[in-house]
């Protein structure tokens, strides 16, 4: 997924993707130099560590 300054919505987007019926094994997040902490990898990994998803 592509993002730019989407910190406010990234969790909603990821949750929506994970709720799909098709199995998801990997999500690639491409960030275009956001300045708002959109892709703070450590935070995303902590939030989604309960899934078997590779972020």
């Amino acid at each position: 997924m592509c993002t730019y300054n989407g910190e406010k919505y990234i969790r909603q987007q990821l949750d929506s993707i994970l709720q799909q019926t098709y199995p998801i094994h990997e999500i690639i997040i491409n960030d275009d130099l956001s300045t708002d902490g959109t892709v703070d990898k450590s935070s995303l990994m902590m939030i989604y560590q309960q899934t078997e998803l590779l972020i």
Side-chain angles (χ1 to χ4, degrees):
M1 67 187 263
C2 296
T3 184
Y4 176 73
N5 288 342
E7 180 179 21
K8 184 176 178 179
Y9 302 106
I10 195 159
R11 285 188 64 183
Q12 292 171 317
Q13 291 172 316
L14 289 171
D15 290 344
S16 176
I17 291 169
L18 291 173
Q19 291 173 9
Q20 302 298 311
T21 57
Y22 190 82
I24 304 291
H25 302 289
E26 179 179 42
I27 294 177
I28 298 171
I29 301 171
N30 184 25
D31 181 61
D32 291 337
L33 301 174
S34 293
T35 58
D36 68 349
T38 298
V39 186
D40 179 1
K41 187 172 181 174
S42 60
S43 293
L44 290 175
M45 288 177 65
M46 289 188 68
I47 293 166
Y48 295 100
Q49 69 183 350
Q50 300 301 323
T51 69
E52 294 180 10
L53 181 65
L54 174 62
I55 295 181

